Amino acid sequence: GDGTNIHPNAKVDSLTVTGPNVAIDEDAVVEKSIILSGSTLGKAVRITNCIVDENVMIGDNCLFKSGSVIAANSVIGRGSKL
């Protein structure tokens, strides 16, 4: 989306959709997911087949199981595993 910033070392596959103003940090891996507007994914985050709603903040080194849905305006602490 417009205003989205994906770090050059992040890996975002072609099946992932991002809304506007999304930030994906260094060494993050995002596959088959939907990341809605205003959300930020920290360093080394791993997300596969998930939905991240609007304005979510995900800390560094988080891991999400396939099928996870993160509610709007959530803050997920560093190192969390869902």
Side-chain angles (χ1 to χ4, degrees):
D2 290 341
T4 291
N5 184 16
I6 299 173
H7 191 281
N9 290 341
K11 294 178 181 156
V12 179
D13 75 1
S14 63
L15 299 176
T16 293
V17 177
T18 61
N21 302 311
V22 167
I24 300 175
D25 209 340
E26 183 177 8
D27 296 324
V29 177
V30 184
E31 299 171 322
K32 301 177 191 169
S33 296
I34 299 170
I35 314 298
L36 296 179
S37 67
S39 292
T40 300
L41 282 60
K43 292 179 183 176
V45 168
R46 301 287 186 264
I47 295 179
T48 301
N49 200 26
C50 296
I51 298 172
V52 177
D53 207 338
E54 295 181 340
N55 301 311
V56 171
M57 174 72 72
I58 299 173
D60 296 346
N61 300 303
C62 290
L63 174 64
F64 294 85
K65 289 183 182 177
S66 181
S68 295
V69 178
I70 311 303
N73 305 306
S74 294
V75 176
I76 310 297
R78 185 175 148 198
S80 295
K81 292 179 174 47
L82 303 175

